[in-house]
């Protein structure tokens, strides 16, 4: 991705010096463990606050590690700025006003309006404060553990979480929160999959318009994003983690579904074609 020297977003809180270690729970874009799913949608966080540590001084990094971390920070700030430009224009073209989300950079654990979360959560968006939370070490995990390297794989992750912000702005998150109060966990999971696949689609829409507006793409960038989408499908993660697949517990969609919806968003660039909730193939 062509990003060096480009505008960095100023909507960033850098809390990397004020995070603590301790128990971490999973969720976020990876979705291996679903305990935080309700948190990401504004649910009750009292149980997490009881077991996760309060913030304290983060472990010191070597000069080389700090340099690499700072470079990743600059990169995600540029990606966030690109999402601001793209979604600001798309909302304006539709006669609406786009409200920029805030990116929070942290290490090890963080306090959000959705409760405490740990690094193992992966990047997540909290509707309660309209902030994206990222521990930049996640991108090492993407490369080393999920085998999804590349800067555009990282960009896809950021764009996916911004997609959840779009869902907050258009009222989808509020509808999901109401459904969560009415449905069983298994029934709700089906809607969660549709929510996540729509965020993948919106990430693809962003990539389409960012390319048109700024010519950001380099060779193999889209392949990197598709590889990342494939790597974090529920079926693949469950198979690797527990040796079997439990479809009724899916919360983010299969690898094939995640690839399909990102690709559809990128190829069409048309927000109106991303209504996953009305897609009969997802029922």
């Amino acid at each position: 991705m062509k990003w060096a020297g480009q505008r960095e977003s100023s909507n960033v809180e850098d809390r990397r010096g004020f995070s603590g270690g301790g128990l971490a729970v999973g969720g976020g874009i990876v979705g291996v463990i679903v305990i935080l799913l309700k948190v990401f949608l504004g649910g009750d966080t009292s149980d997490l606050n009881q077991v996760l540590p309060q913030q304290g001084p983060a472990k010191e990094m070597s000069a080389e590690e700090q340099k690499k971390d700072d470079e990743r920070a600059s990169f995600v700030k540029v990606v966030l700025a690109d999402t601001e430009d793209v979604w600001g224009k798309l909302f304006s073209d539709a006669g609406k006003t786009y409200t920029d989300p805030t990116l929070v950079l942290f290490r090890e654990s963080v306090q959000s309006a959705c409760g405490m979360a740990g690094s193992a959560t992966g990047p997540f968006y909290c509707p309660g404060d309209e902030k994206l939370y990222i521990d930049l070490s996640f991108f090492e995990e993407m490369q080393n553990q999920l085998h999804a390297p590349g800067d555009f794989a990282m960009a896809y992750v950021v764009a996916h979480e911004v997609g959840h912000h779009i869902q907050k702005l258009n009222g989808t998150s509020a509808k999901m929160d109401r459904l969560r109060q009415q449905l069983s966990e298994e029934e709700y999971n089906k809607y969660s999959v549709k929510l996540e696949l729509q965020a993948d689609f919106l990430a693809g829409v962003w990539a389409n318009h960012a390319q048109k507006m700024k010519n950001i793409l380099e060779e193999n960038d889209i392949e990197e994003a598709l590889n990342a989408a494939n790597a974090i499908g529920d079926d693949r993660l469950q198979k690797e983690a527990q040796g079997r697949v439990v479809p009724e517990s899916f919360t983010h969609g299969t690898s094939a579904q995640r690839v399909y919806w990102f690709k559809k968003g990128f190829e069409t660039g048309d927000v109106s074609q991303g209504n996953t909730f009305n897609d009969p193939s997802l029922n």
Side-chain angles (χ1 to χ4, degrees):
M1 176 178 170
K2 303 171 187 175
W3 69 275
Q6 300 301 309
R7 179 179 78 86
E8 296 183 4
S9 175
S10 59
N11 296 308
V12 178
E13 294 179 17
D14 195 339
R15 303 188 200 170
R16 288 178 293 168
F18 300 94
S19 295
L23 178 64
V25 291
I29 194 171
V30 180
V32 181
I33 304 173
V34 298
I35 188 172
L36 278 189
L37 181 60
K38 62 178 181 180
V39 179
F40 301 160
L41 298 176
D44 178 25
T45 62
S46 58
D47 52 346
L48 294 174
N49 288 326
Q50 290 171 3
V51 297
L52 286 170
Q54 296 302 307
Q55 292 176 324
K59 291 186 297 186
E60 289 189 14
M61 304 178 74
S62 68
E64 183 178 351
E65 290 172 332
Q66 185 66 60
K67 181 180 179 181
K68 185 178 293 186
D69 206 58
D70 287 342
E71 183 175 344
R72 290 195 189 101
S74 293
F75 176 78
V76 297
K77 290 176 185 178
V78 170
V79 174
L80 184 65
D82 284 350
T83 67
E84 293 166 353
D85 294 341
V86 166
W87 289 113
K89 181 180 185 304
L90 292 178
F91 269 58
S92 178
D93 290 347
K96 302 176 183 179
T97 300
Y98 180 66
T99 304
D100 296 335
T102 297
L103 170 66
V104 178
L105 301 176
F106 72 97
R107 289 183 187 140
E108 299 180 2
S109 68
V110 70
Q111 177 70 52
S112 74
C114 296
M116 287 290 289
S119 298
T121 303
F124 67 95
Y125 172 76
C126 177
D129 53 23
E130 298 188 359
K131 295 179 180 181
L132 294 72
Y133 291 82
I134 297 178
D135 183 328
L136 296 170
S137 67
F138 176 74
F139 297 122
E140 289 185 3
E141 296 175 11
M142 286 186 63
Q143 176 174 324
N144 299 330
Q145 298 177 24
L146 299 176
H147 308 294
D151 57 6
F152 210 72
M154 296 165 57
Y156 155 67
V157 169
V158 176
H160 172 99
E161 300 306 335
V162 172
H164 286 311
H165 179 61
I166 304 301
Q167 292 168 326
K168 165 66 187 294
L169 296 181
N170 66 22
T172 302
S173 295
K175 293 177 182 177
M176 288 289 289
D177 195 42
R178 290 193 292 271
L179 282 174
R180 184 163 44 82
Q181 307 299 326
Q182 302 167 6
L183 303 176
S184 68
E185 180 178 341
E186 184 173 329
E187 291 173 323
Y188 178 77
N189 284 347
K190 296 178 183 178
Y191 287 93
S192 174
V193 166
K194 296 177 182 183
L195 182 80
E196 296 296 336
L197 294 178
Q198 187 177 75
D200 284 335
F201 172 84
L202 294 172
V205 170
W206 162 76
N208 173 293
H209 289 275
Q211 174 64 4
K212 290 177 180 177
M213 293 170 61
K214 303 185 178 185
N215 191 33
I216 65 169
L217 295 178
E218 296 178 311
E219 186 178 1
N220 296 324
D221 275 349
I222 294 303
E223 286 76 9
E224 289 174 359
L226 294 174
N227 180 51
N230 180 68
I232 55 181
D234 282 327
D235 53 342
R236 178 169 173 176
L237 291 171
Q238 286 188 358
K239 183 70 173 179
E240 293 180 355
Q242 61 193 26
R244 61 190 179 93
V245 173
V246 186
E248 59 268 22
S249 69
F250 288 177
T251 59
H252 287 60
T254 67
S255 292
Q257 288 171 333
R258 302 200 73 165
V259 167
Y260 171 82
W261 284 99
F262 175 86
K263 193 173 182 180
K264 183 176 182 179
F266 176 70
E267 291 179 345
T268 67
D270 183 358
V271 176
S272 69
Q273 294 193 42
N275 191 344
T276 53
F277 294 92
N278 284 341
D279 190 308
S281 70
L282 298 176
N283 291 333

